[in-house]
Amino acid sequence: MGMISDLPDQMLLQILSWLPTTEVVATMLLSKQWKFLWKQVPKLYYNYSEHEGKDFSEFVSRSLQLHVAPSLKSLKLSISPYCDSRDVTNWIDLAVSRFVLELEIDLTAAQNPMITALPKSMYTCGTLSCLRLKALVLDDIPEDYPICLSSLNYMYLSVSIQVSADKFIGKLSAGAPLLKKTVVQGPVYGDQFLDSMTSYSELKSFTTCLSEWGPTVDSYFNKLEHLCMCTCSSGWWDLLINFLQRSPILRQLQLIKSCNSRPLSSGNQPGFTSTTHVPECLSTTLQTLEWRDYAETEFDMPVASFLLKNATRLSEAKIFLEYAAGPIEKLRIRTALAKLSRGSPTCHLNTGN
């Protein structure tokens, strides 16, 4: 213990910040020097899997009460199935009072529905710059709640079905004027949400896996530079082409298969429908294309052909083939892709995987 104990307290606190809080608290037993050091660690991570039964809530509450750091850089909570929603509310309130910068609440293991409302204090946390809410069962934000997330620039929301999901996300985003990157996963019904999202001039990156979102997009993303779209649901091409037409300076496009979402309707994947109006970003700004789990279906090949042909400023296209394809099938697909017409003479096509 001698060598590490000789380090300055600030360096020790940095080291402890990388450990789960259960292990951090245990260091108080090492020596007198360490007895109170854990209380000043600026990053706290609680994971219910490191505790047995119902003592997780007691441990979190007790250690947060004893924590004396003037500010919290990060609080991450992976919630136990035994947690009460009132405990979660109290923990968030305490984090806000400590001027938290990064807040992550993971309710994946919680009993459903675990929590439908977040504490009022969170909506006016002026220091919060990063917010991650996983497996959230949403309820609408009460009308009398002011929303002022003046420092928020990154938001990740994985939502469960609830009547007001789109309104919730729209209102939350409306109070975040510096929001630059948003990731939304779950059944959000898009029109009102998109209208609110596009009113934020700083939004530059958007990731969506919205399997129950209709294909029409009427809003414009005038500063969007990066778009990542899930290809799990049927009709995703219609939604994509709408986004492309309304994102005039898009530079990066990612197509991924990130979930096993239920399609919008039963039946086969709809056929590809080309458009006579080529989106402006394809001919002026799009520089990179990345497509994962490409399968060369009757749908995928025409989409790939359209994008490669019309993206006249494209510098690189990475198309990673579906894992299930065998070596002979992969060779055939790579050959077919290499033969597709490319609108950009400098486009490098990478199909290696």
Side-chain angles (χ1 to χ4, degrees):
M1 281 302 299
M3 292 182 64
I4 192 170
S5 294
D6 291 338
L7 295 174
D9 283 356
Q10 286 303 316
M11 189 173 292
L12 292 175
L13 291 174
Q14 276 192 316
I15 295 172
L16 291 175
S17 293
W18 292 98
L19 299 176
T21 302
T22 304
E23 298 179 19
V24 173
V25 174
T27 62
M28 66 183 295
L29 302 176
L30 296 177
S31 68
K32 290 183 178 180
Q33 177 190 0
W34 293 80
K35 186 173 182 180
F36 302 105
L37 191 63
W38 72 269
K39 298 181 180 181
Q40 302 176 49
V41 175
K43 296 182 180 181
L44 300 177
Y45 172 47
Y46 298 94
N47 191 328
Y48 79 93
S49 63
E50 299 171 357
H51 296 260
E52 295 182 1
K54 300 182 179 180
D55 68 340
F56 174 76
S57 292
E58 183 178 352
F59 174 77
V60 176
S61 296
R62 182 62 176 161
S63 59
L64 281 175
Q65 289 170 2
L66 293 173
H67 193 259
V68 295
S71 63
L72 267 178
K73 289 185 178 179
S74 175
L75 175 63
K76 298 182 180 180
L77 290 160
S78 180
I79 303 300
S80 162
Y82 302 104
C83 284
D84 187 279
S85 61
R86 290 170 295 183
D87 289 331
V88 179
T89 297
N90 290 335
W91 299 336
I92 296 175
D93 279 335
L94 194 148
V96 172
S97 71
R98 298 286 178 83
F99 310 105
V100 65
L101 301 179
E102 179 181 351
L103 179 63
E104 178 177 317
I105 309 295
D106 186 351
L107 301 173
T108 305
Q111 294 179 353
N112 292 322
M114 166 62 191
I115 185 170
T116 59
L118 295 168
K120 188 175 183 178
S121 64
M122 198 206 75
Y123 299 110
T124 56
C125 183
T127 58
L128 189 64
S129 63
C130 177
L131 175 64
R132 296 184 182 93
L133 301 174
K134 300 180 180 180
L136 186 68
V137 181
L138 293 172
D139 197 0
D140 199 2
I141 301 173
E143 292 294 336
D144 62 338
Y145 275 29
I147 303 174
C148 184
L149 298 169
S150 56
S151 300
L152 189 67
N153 56 60
Y154 176 85
M155 178 170 65
Y156 174 98
L157 299 175
S158 174
V159 302
S160 299
I161 296 174
Q162 196 77 356
V163 294
S164 303
D166 56 330
K167 295 180 181 179
F168 176 96
I169 300 171
K171 288 181 180 179
L172 194 63
S173 303
L178 298 183
L179 191 64
K180 294 182 179 180
K181 183 172 182 178
T182 300
V183 179
V184 180
Q185 292 185 308
V188 179
Y189 301 85
D191 292 342
Q192 181 174 351
F193 170 59
L194 278 181
D195 288 342
S196 61
M197 290 296 294
T198 53
S199 64
Y200 319 126
S201 59
E202 297 300 318
L203 187 64
K204 295 181 178 180
S205 179
F206 187 43
T207 298
T208 175
C209 183
L210 307 183
S211 59
E212 299 189 30
W213 198 345
T216 301
V217 179
D218 294 325
S219 307
Y220 278 81
F221 295 83
N222 290 320
K223 288 199 174 182
L224 193 69
E225 297 181 4
H226 171 259
L227 174 64
C228 181
M229 180 170 290
C230 182
T231 62
C232 293
S233 61
S234 70
W236 63 266
W237 164 251
D238 294 323
L239 180 57
L240 174 62
I241 197 66
N242 270 275
F243 264 101
L244 294 179
Q245 289 172 343
R246 289 161 174 80
S247 305
I249 65 167
L250 193 72
R251 300 180 186 279
Q252 298 173 303
L253 174 62
Q254 287 181 292
L255 302 175
I256 60 175
K257 190 176 291 183
S258 62
C259 68
N260 296 312
S261 299
R262 175 179 58 84
L264 282 169
S265 58
S266 60
N268 297 325
Q269 176 83 306
F272 169 77
T273 303
S274 185
T275 175
T276 56
H277 177 61
V278 177
E280 178 185 355
C281 65
L282 292 186
S283 60
T284 58
T285 60
L286 190 68
Q287 297 175 354
T288 61
L289 167 66
E290 181 180 320
W291 191 335
R292 294 190 174 272
D293 293 312
Y294 177 87
E296 203 202 28
T297 62
E298 294 181 0
F299 185 77
D300 286 5
M301 177 59 83
V303 172
S305 177
F306 178 87
L307 293 174
L308 290 174
K309 179 181 179 181
N310 292 290
T312 57
R313 298 295 182 91
L314 202 63
S315 60
E316 185 174 29
K318 297 179 181 180
I319 302 180
F320 300 96
L321 309 187
E322 194 173 39
Y323 180 76
I328 297 177
E329 178 68 4
K330 285 184 177 181
L331 178 60
R332 186 190 65 78
I333 295 174
R334 289 193 184 104
T335 302
L337 286 171
K339 292 180 179 179
L340 293 179
S341 173
R342 277 172 255 174
S344 171
T346 59
C347 176
H348 172 66
L349 178 62
N350 180 358
T351 60
N353 67 316

